[in-house]
């Protein structure tokens, strides 16, 4: 019952250090209790029905060791967490999948970012699965290209000072004042105007997602290349080299990392409450705890 009480305090979002002070025990002992019960629940995860997965990495503290999280996109639950963010994480997941009644050939789709390590791991260990590059990461790269264009112009243009986010936000989300400032910038600086126009038309292709989206994307790439704005042509080169995963994104729009973004917000909140994690194992079990939808077996009521 002491362990159950400690676990219930953690369930109520109390940091482990605070729980240790409340129950007058050391934090390492509370962590051992926590890890014990979470591990028991993790051991019971069944992967027999896993067909579509999302993959993402996160660090236990800013700039520190990384872990990789595998999520069942159908149940919206974390099913596997492992150290690192390299190709070996997919090997570790493939072994866990088989151990927990899943099958390699059952994995139909993998949604992830454009990490070379992730691509290598997925192709090696899940050769039959369709790789889908997450839309969020694609647009992040596009926004970085547009911002680079702004920086190149900014050196001789005081009007651009303080307008980084004016160019990155969706036009419909800008206030009336910011929208007017945006129009002034686009008219005054033609290069930025072209880059911004390319950004908007790229978004239209992805948001509308029609049958000819791939053809429209090819035409878009050619127009950008003809404009010869280097940061944008660099982005096009990246798009072309990852076209296989982008085509899959058009074909399977329901498969994306949006679910992982939601789960990641829960992880970041747990990190904030704990002020970061020193122990990687503690962090991994906390990820399972807050995003795995686990059924914990400790007693919840007195008899």
């Amino acid at each position: 019952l002491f362990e159950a009480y400690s676990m219930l305090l953690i369930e109520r979002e109390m940091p482990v250090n605070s729980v240790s002070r409340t129950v007058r025990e050391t934090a390492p002992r509370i962590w051992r209790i926590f890890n014990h019960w979470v591990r028991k629940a993790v051991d019971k995860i069944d992967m027999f029905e896993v067909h579509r997965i999302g993959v993402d990495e996160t660090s236990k503290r800013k700039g520190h060791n990384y872990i990789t999280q595998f999520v069942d996109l159908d149940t919206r639950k974390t099913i596997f967490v492992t150290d690192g963010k390299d190709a070996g994480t997919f090997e570790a997941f493939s072994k866990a999948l088989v151990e927990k009644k899943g099958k390699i050939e059952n994995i139909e789709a993998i949604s992830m970012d454009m990490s070379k390590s992730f691509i290598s791991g997925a192709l090696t260990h899940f050769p039959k699965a369709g790789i889908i590059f997450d839309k969020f990461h694609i647009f992040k790269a596009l926004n970085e290209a547009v911002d680079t264009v702004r920086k190149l112009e900014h050196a001789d243009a005081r009007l651009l000072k303080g307008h980084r986010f004016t160019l990155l936000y969706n036009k419909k989300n800008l206030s009336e004042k910011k929208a007017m400032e945006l129009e002034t910038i686009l008219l005054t600086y033609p290069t930025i105007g072209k880059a911004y126009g390319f950004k908007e038309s790229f978004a239209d292709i992805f948001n509308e997602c029609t049958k000819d989206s791939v053809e429209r994307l090819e035409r878009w790439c050619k127009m950008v290349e003809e404009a010869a704005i280097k940061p944008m042509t660099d982005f096009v080169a990246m798009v072309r080299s990852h076209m296989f995963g982008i085509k899959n994104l058009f074909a399977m729009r329901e498969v994306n990392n949006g679910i992982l973004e939601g789960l990641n917000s829960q992880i970041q909140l747990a990190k904030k409450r704990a002020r970061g994690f020193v122990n990687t194992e503690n962090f991994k079990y906390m990820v399972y705890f807050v995003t795995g939808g686990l059924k914990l077996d400790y007693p919840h009521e007195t008899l």
Side-chain angles (χ1 to χ4, degrees):
L1 290 176
F2 167 77
E3 294 186 9
Y5 177 59
S6 300
M7 291 296 294
L8 286 170
L9 290 176
I10 298 174
E11 278 197 24
R12 297 299 184 272
E13 301 184 353
M14 183 181 285
V16 169
N17 285 339
S18 299
V19 174
S20 71
R21 290 193 295 270
T22 300
V23 300
R24 298 183 181 181
E25 271 296 346
T26 64
R29 185 182 182 193
I30 303 303
W31 275 117
R32 286 196 296 273
I33 292 170
F34 174 80
N35 291 346
H36 167 77
W37 289 108
V38 174
R39 187 184 301 113
K40 286 187 68 175
V42 169
D43 288 342
K44 295 179 181 179
I45 293 176
D46 190 327
M47 300 189 191
F48 180 74
E49 294 292 339
V50 176
H51 298 284
R52 305 185 299 179
I53 60 173
V55 186
D56 200 8
E57 81 276 353
T58 187
S59 61
K60 64 181 184 180
R61 289 189 295 173
K62 187 174 181 180
H64 286 260
N65 296 358
Y66 280 81
I67 63 167
T68 295
Q69 170 192 12
F70 291 79
V71 172
D72 184 340
L73 296 179
D74 294 306
T75 63
R76 298 171 175 257
K77 296 176 182 178
T78 296
I79 55 176
F80 185 67
V81 182
T82 187
D83 294 334
K85 57 175 183 176
D86 55 16
T89 58
F90 280 82
E91 180 181 4
F93 174 67
S94 66
K95 292 178 180 178
L97 180 70
V98 174
E99 289 173 2
K100 295 180 180 292
K101 304 177 183 179
K103 295 182 179 180
I104 301 295
E105 58 270 24
N106 283 353
I107 304 300
E108 303 167 355
I110 304 174
S111 178
M112 60 186 186
D113 63 28
M114 292 174 283
S115 160
K116 292 181 180 179
S117 297
F118 279 2
I119 295 171
S120 174
L123 291 174
T124 301
H125 299 285
F126 298 92
K128 295 183 179 180
I131 294 177
I132 301 164
F133 294 127
D134 181 49
K135 178 180 174 181
F136 171 81
H137 290 92
I138 296 172
F139 275 86
K140 180 181 178 182
L142 175 60
N143 283 333
E144 287 173 354
V146 173
D147 194 46
T148 302
V149 175
R150 178 193 65 84
K151 289 176 181 177
L152 293 173
E153 293 285 305
H154 183 213
D156 300 310
R158 294 182 180 180
L159 183 61
L160 293 174
K161 186 177 180 180
H163 283 292
R164 176 189 176 193
F165 294 105
T166 305
L167 292 165
L168 298 186
Y169 284 159
N170 192 314
K171 187 184 291 185
K172 66 181 180 181
N173 294 331
L174 295 174
S175 65
E176 185 177 346
K177 179 182 176 182
K178 285 292 183 182
M180 292 177 64
E181 291 175 352
L182 174 63
E183 290 300 326
T184 302
I185 291 171
L186 300 183
L187 290 171
T188 307
Y189 304 100
T191 303
I192 293 179
K194 285 183 180 179
Y196 187 84
F198 288 139
K199 170 178 172 286
E200 292 288 290
S201 56
F202 185 86
D204 289 340
I205 294 171
F206 275 77
N207 293 333
E208 293 171 9
C209 193
T210 58
K211 292 182 179 179
D212 63 342
S213 289
V214 174
E215 294 178 7
R216 291 175 64 193
L217 182 57
E218 287 287 354
R219 291 196 297 270
W220 182 89
C221 289
K222 290 179 180 178
M223 285 191 296
V224 175
E225 288 168 340
E226 290 171 0
I229 303 172
K230 190 175 187 310
M232 300 301 294
T233 55
D234 289 344
F235 173 75
V236 167
M238 184 273 293
V239 168
R240 289 194 184 281
S241 65
H242 294 83
M243 189 64 79
F244 65 98
I246 295 174
K247 289 180 179 179
N248 288 336
L249 173 59
F250 290 135
M252 295 182 279
R253 276 184 67 82
E254 72 280 4
V255 180
N256 57 70
N257 271 20
I259 293 168
L260 274 83
E261 295 302 323
L263 296 179
N264 188 53
S265 66
Q266 299 177 43
I267 295 171
Q268 296 308 316
L269 182 60
K271 283 168 60 176
K272 184 177 180 180
R273 286 199 300 265
R275 297 181 181 179
F277 288 83
V278 176
N279 186 296
T280 303
E281 287 300 303
N282 291 347
F283 181 45
K284 286 160 62 177
Y285 284 121
M286 183 58 73
V287 171
Y288 277 119
F289 184 72
V290 299
T291 65
L294 301 174
K295 293 182 179 180
L296 300 166
D297 294 334
Y298 59 83
H300 288 67
E301 296 180 0
T302 56
L303 300 177

